Amino acid sequence: MLQIYNTLSRKKEEFQPAKSKHVRMYVCGPTVYARGHIGNFRTFVCLDVLRRVLRNICNYPIKEVINFTDVDDKTIAGASDEGLSLREYTDQHIKDFQSDWLALGIQPVEENPRATDNENIEAMGNLVKELERKGHTYQSEGSIYFRIATHPEYGKLSRLDKKGIKPGARINVDEYDKEDVRDFVLWKPVKAGEPSWDIGFGPGRPGWHLECSAMALRLLGEPPIDIHAGGVDLIFPHHENEIAQSETATGKLFSRFWIHVEHLFVEGKKMSKSTGNVFTLPEIVSKGYRPSALRYLLLSSHYRKQLNFTWSGIEQAEESLRRLTDFLARLDAETSVKKAGQSRVKVKVENARNRFFEALSDDLNTAEGLGAIFDFVRDVNVLLDSGPLIQSDLVAIQKTMDDFDLVLGVMALRKQEDLQLEAPVEEINRLIESREQARKRRDFSFADKIRKDLLSRGIVLEDIAGGTRWKKR
RNA sequence: GGCGCCGUCGCCAAGUGGUAAGGCAGAGGUCUGCAAAACCUCCAUCCCCGGUUCAAAUCCGGGCGGCGCCUCCA
């Protein structure tokens, strides 16, 4: 049974889907105005683990939506700067996001709607009309606002009340005409030269919060949905406002669980362009680190704790992950198995599985889960050192590691990366063979030269009992 | 000013009342042509001060230090 922290109650709660065939989950996706940064990916990797836990540990079918926000000030400005249409401009960035997601082993989800898709714009229009009909809106200077005074529950997620507003807090100049500072715009009037849609209020474009409510309600069906998630920064105002507009429009609870992933910092500081510490995946890769190492790093601490990205940290992640994949390679290479006999791993397998699955089921405790895996790895290495295993034990061990990775998605990712070699396999095997000859005639300097040459091409040779094995560095 | 989080070994990081998981790095050793991998051994009493308790890293109070949200942001 999954226990998960719900921002709404500020407590860990037992999760079960509402009466529905699927877990219905909505994740606030990126605004597509730039290449995604590693902070974005922390959120998406952690929520990918949540998805995998729901599927592979809890065995729930899932319908998950991650949207792309493809219209806002930044995307409009970016498109205009590059002389592209909004669609062309955002297309590029969506493609980049998808490619980074893939590289990080983030599983595709059922729906990736774009705010500006016709059916979504239309759904937004209907939502605004419904809010208007129920008296939750007002117009001012061409914009349609949500009047939070009509929603007494406003603030239940972020727990910010009116008194909490910072004295002297800046109020946007173009929003001075609001009745209450916290009122938010549902629909903005078109500005000259900017893209617009007409959904019955004159040409304009949606406010930021509107799209997510509309898409979630359209794609996931009757509220409440089960889970709504995103980065912590979205709690206020985005999610608070989504709740306000969705719940007043439908008269029903919007989402049962609200799950938020803490921020990633870089070298102790919040990422910001002016500090120059915003990193993208290609930048990480260009420094010689793998996407799998980043994924590992992101999983090595709890999703509700701030995580400080450092180069030493990703180095450590590389090394830790290497230990795991070395172990998998050792299992694959294990040839001296016994046909039958007593199981030597049954208890160890059971203990490791229980500890891992309990950890992940307890609010996604990936760090504890990794601890369970490393203990298991050591135990099995000891057994392997002490003599051959029986076939069924070997299979059980491999199955266990596979099951762990179904949730973490990091070892398979690294194996996949290992397939991209700087030297063809045939050549590696040929060089190993000629090195073997050299070793037999005790020409160790030649043998070492081959190993050194391959190392410079990213291939590590290790001599083991009965031969030589290689791996990618 | 309001709300909230965090402080565990050189680094990363679990543990939230029962006497400190795990990883990286480091030291020594076994194995080995060498190297690597693997294994073994070593490596912390939990920011400080009080309190509660038979028992606290874990609960309470007070400090000190770091951070977040209240404004676009994953």
Side-chain angles (χ1 to χ4, degrees):
Chain A
M1 183 62 64
L2 174 64
Q3 294 276 128
I4 192 93
Y5 185 86
N6 188 349
T7 307
L8 203 52
S9 63
R10 306 281 157 111
K11 282 199 290 258
K12 275 192 219 174
E13 292 178 34
E14 219 164 73
F15 176 82
Q16 282 201 51
K19 292 182 195 93
S20 150
K21 278 197 299 200
H22 292 77
V23 173
R24 294 175 300 149
M25 173 166 166
Y26 188 91
V27 172
C28 286
T31 303
V32 283
Y33 65 96
R35 186 108 198 178
H37 57 250
I38 57 180
N40 289 311
F41 297 129
R42 179 186 195 191
T43 299
F44 298 122
V45 164
C46 289
L47 294 175
D48 179 59
V49 170
L50 172 60
R51 175 187 173 83
R52 289 161 176 265
V53 166
L54 290 167
R55 282 180 74 180
N56 300 307
I57 298 183
C58 305
N59 292 313
Y60 297 130
I62 298 184
K63 178 161 186 188
E64 180 176 353
V65 177
I66 304 182
N67 72 290
F68 290 112
T69 297
D70 60 354
V71 55
D72 80 319
D73 291 346
K74 285 181 190 137
T75 44
I76 291 172
S80 154
D81 286 351
E82 292 184 23
L84 296 172
S85 71
L86 185 63
R87 197 78 184 183
E88 289 166 335
Y89 176 79
T90 54
D91 274 348
Q92 296 176 345
H93 291 118
I94 288 174
K95 238 169 85 187
D96 287 342
F97 263 100
Q98 284 168 330
S99 121
D100 289 348
W101 280 345
L102 193 67
L104 285 167
I106 293 169
Q107 293 183 335
V109 302
E110 287 65 32
E111 300 273 1
N112 285 119
R114 297 171 67 153
T116 63
D117 283 339
N118 285 336
E119 56 272 34
N120 294 327
I121 294 283
E122 195 180 318
M124 291 180 225
N126 293 336
L127 191 58
V128 176
K129 282 171 198 154
E130 185 64 9
L131 289 170
E132 201 167 48
R133 194 176 71 76
K134 292 190 171 171
H136 294 291
T137 67
Y138 63 93
Q139 297 209 13
S140 174
E141 315 244 321
S143 290
I144 302 175
Y145 288 98
F146 183 91
R147 180 183 279 127
I148 66 150
T150 65
H151 185 48
E153 278 196 327
Y154 188 83
K156 69 176 177 179
L157 181 70
S158 60
R159 305 199 176 179
L160 291 173
D161 59 23
K162 210 169 179 177
K163 292 181 209 123
I165 301 285
K166 196 180 186 175
R170 189 167 61 87
I171 297 164
N172 284 344
V173 184
D174 62 342
E175 288 175 356
Y176 74 96
D177 49 334
K178 294 193 294 191
E179 293 177 1
D180 183 304
V181 256
R182 297 169 302 166
D183 287 346
F184 56 93
V185 68
L186 295 165
W187 194 258
K188 301 181 182 184
V190 67
K191 286 189 203 154
E194 292 192 349
S196 67
W197 294 263
D198 196 341
I199 53 170
F201 312 101
R205 62 184 170 95
W208 173 34
H209 318 296
L210 185 62
E211 53 164 293
C212 285
S213 289
M215 289 189 278
L217 293 170
R218 181 176 79 78
L219 291 162
L220 293 174
E222 194 68 7
I225 62 172
D226 295 303
I227 297 173
H228 198 122
V232 281
D233 52 290
L234 298 182
I235 296 172
F236 186 88
H238 186 54
H239 286 164
E240 195 69 72
N241 292 349
E242 279 191 61
I243 288 175
Q245 61 198 186
S246 304
E247 298 192 352
T248 51
T250 65
K252 290 180 182 156
L253 183 70
F254 182 36
S255 176
R256 301 166 55 235
F257 283 79
W258 290 83
I259 295 170
H260 295 98
V261 179
E262 249 300 349
H263 275 325
L264 179 79
F265 290 76
V266 170
E267 303 288 353
K269 287 186 179 146
K270 203 177 161 175
M271 279 190 294
S272 79
K273 282 189 180 140
S274 55
T275 318
N277 63 351
V278 176
F279 293 115
T280 63
L281 187 60
E283 282 163 353
I284 303 285
V285 169
S286 75
K287 293 226 181 193
Y289 299 102
R290 310 175 188 215
S292 61
L294 179 60
R295 183 172 174 111
Y296 182 97
L297 177 64
L298 296 175
L299 295 181
S300 66
S301 83
H302 190 86
Y303 77 95
R304 283 193 291 114
K305 268 185 112 171
Q306 291 172 350
L307 191 163
N308 187 25
F309 175 91
T310 61
W311 294 107
S312 139
I314 198 159
E315 183 70 43
Q316 291 175 31
E318 282 275 5
E319 293 309 316
S320 304
L321 184 51
R322 190 189 310 275
R323 179 165 160 84
L324 296 182
T325 43
D326 276 357
F327 176 68
L328 296 181
R330 181 178 190 183
L331 294 179
D332 286 342
E334 194 63 28
T335 46
S336 57
V337 281
K338 292 191 292 187
K339 282 255 154 52
Q342 204 108 84
S343 170
R344 299 162 72 204
V345 304
K346 194 160 183 281
V347 175
K348 292 187 195 315
V349 164
E350 272 170 21
N351 288 345
R353 294 182 76 93
N354 288 340
R355 196 175 143 204
F356 179 86
F357 292 124
E358 273 169 30
L360 271 291
S361 302
D362 181 10
D363 202 25
L364 312 181
N365 193 342
T366 45
E368 168 69 17
L370 286 168
I373 296 180
F374 281 107
D375 279 338
F376 180 62
V377 166
R378 190 190 348 91
D379 286 350
V380 174
N381 269 324
V382 169
L383 282 177
L384 250 20
D385 280 354
S386 75
L389 293 174
I390 58 172
Q391 181 68 34
S392 60
D393 274 354
L394 188 63
V395 170
I397 293 163
Q398 285 173 317
K399 170 88 167 74
T400 297
M401 292 299 285
D402 284 349
D403 286 347
F404 292 161
D405 202 46
L406 237 35
V407 177
L408 299 180
V410 73
M411 293 179 259
L413 187 63
R414 175 156 174 139
K415 275 181 157 178
Q416 206 177 303
E417 290 163 353
D418 281 348
L419 297 176
Q420 285 150 23
L421 294 168
E422 286 153 69
V425 176
E426 305 75 48
E427 187 188 351
I428 295 169
N429 287 332
R430 189 169 52 70
L431 287 168
I432 286 177
E433 179 51 35
S434 79
R435 177 167 171 273
E436 199 51 40
Q437 301 300 329
R439 291 178 72 208
K440 277 194 182 130
R441 58 176 192 269
R442 304 192 67 76
D443 182 357
F444 294 120
S445 70
F446 184 60
D448 288 347
K449 182 180 182 305
I450 290 174
R451 185 165 59 195
K452 207 177 150 201
D453 288 349
L454 274 173
L455 183 62
S456 71
R457 297 165 74 185
I459 304 298
V460 178
L461 297 189
E462 293 174 358
D463 297 322
I464 53 170
T468 297
R469 70 180 175 203
W470 62 270
K471 67 185 180 191
K472 194 175 172 182
R473 183 164 49 150

